[in-house]
Amino acid sequence: MSVRSGIGWDSHRLEAGRRLILGGIELPYERGLAGHSDGDVLTHAVMDALLGAAGCNDIGQWFPDTDPRYKDADSIALLRLLVAEMEARGIRPTHCDTTVLMEQPKLSPHREAIRESLAGGLKLPFDAVNVKASTGEGMGFVGRGEGVAALAIVTVDAA
Ligand code: MG
């Protein structure tokens, strides 16, 4: 058994007429995340971190944004699919830490729900998944409220 870690990063643009979904939880806000799927930037970062730990390339290769099957896809469902694929390869997540970079709205009222949702997707207990929030302090695309970014580290046991 070996312990491995992977990192993930993603960013999506904020647009009117879209839902704001982070870690599978919808946050009430006037804009949402653009994307071929549901735009769930946090779940995408987690998926890339898992693939990194597994040495299995990246989310774009597994779920191409040109594939109509993934149009408006539920990203937590895709994460579940990936966890099952990794399980079949003897790879099991043990821990996940994340940071969401977002100017508005406040993430903190939704933090517990997001942790619960990601934990469900990763088949981990609640306390093995952490979600931190940060802002851009007015700088860059996050600070100007043009988009949201997310970082993740996933640790796995590999058989
Ligand atoms: Mg993405």
Side-chain angles (χ1 to χ4, degrees):
M1 187 75 78
S2 65
V3 176
R4 298 185 197 171
S5 292
I7 61 167
W9 153 269
D10 196 20
S11 59
H12 281 243
R13 189 178 289 276
L14 278 166
E15 283 183 4
R18 293 279 299 182
R19 298 193 301 156
L20 176 56
I21 298 171
L22 292 172
I25 301 298
E26 184 167 353
L27 278 63
Y29 191 53
E30 65 208 27
R31 291 179 296 156
L33 294 171
H36 183 65
S37 68
D38 60 6
D40 186 340
V41 65
L42 175 56
T43 301
H44 294 176
V46 168
M47 290 166 75
D48 252 355
L50 173 59
L51 288 168
C56 287
N57 302 318
D58 61 28
I59 188 174
Q61 195 204 20
W62 281 78
F63 306 108
D65 64 7
T66 48
D67 190 328
R69 278 180 300 172
Y70 306 124
K71 174 120 177 66
D72 301 320
D74 172 355
S75 295
I76 288 286
L78 299 183
L79 173 61
R80 284 182 200 281
L81 197 68
L82 217 47
V83 167
E85 290 278 354
M86 296 305 115
E87 252 174 20
R89 291 165 166 76
I91 291 159
R92 188 178 58 86
T94 57
H95 184 262
C96 174
D97 187 25
T98 66
T99 300
V100 176
L101 296 143
M102 182 168 72
E103 212 69 8
Q104 280 185 344
K106 282 263 174 265
L107 182 131
S108 50
H110 311 283
R111 189 196 309 265
E112 308 276 291
I114 293 170
R115 287 179 68 182
E116 195 77 59
S117 170
L118 284 176
L122 286 162
K123 294 170 87 173
L124 282 175
F126 177 82
D127 62 5
V129 177
N130 195 51
V131 176
K132 305 185 300 298
S134 189
T135 69
E137 300 241 327
M139 298 178 288
F141 73 89
V142 171
R144 291 189 296 269
E146 292 167 9
V148 178
L151 292 155
I153 292 184
V154 169
T155 304
V156 302
D157 278 341

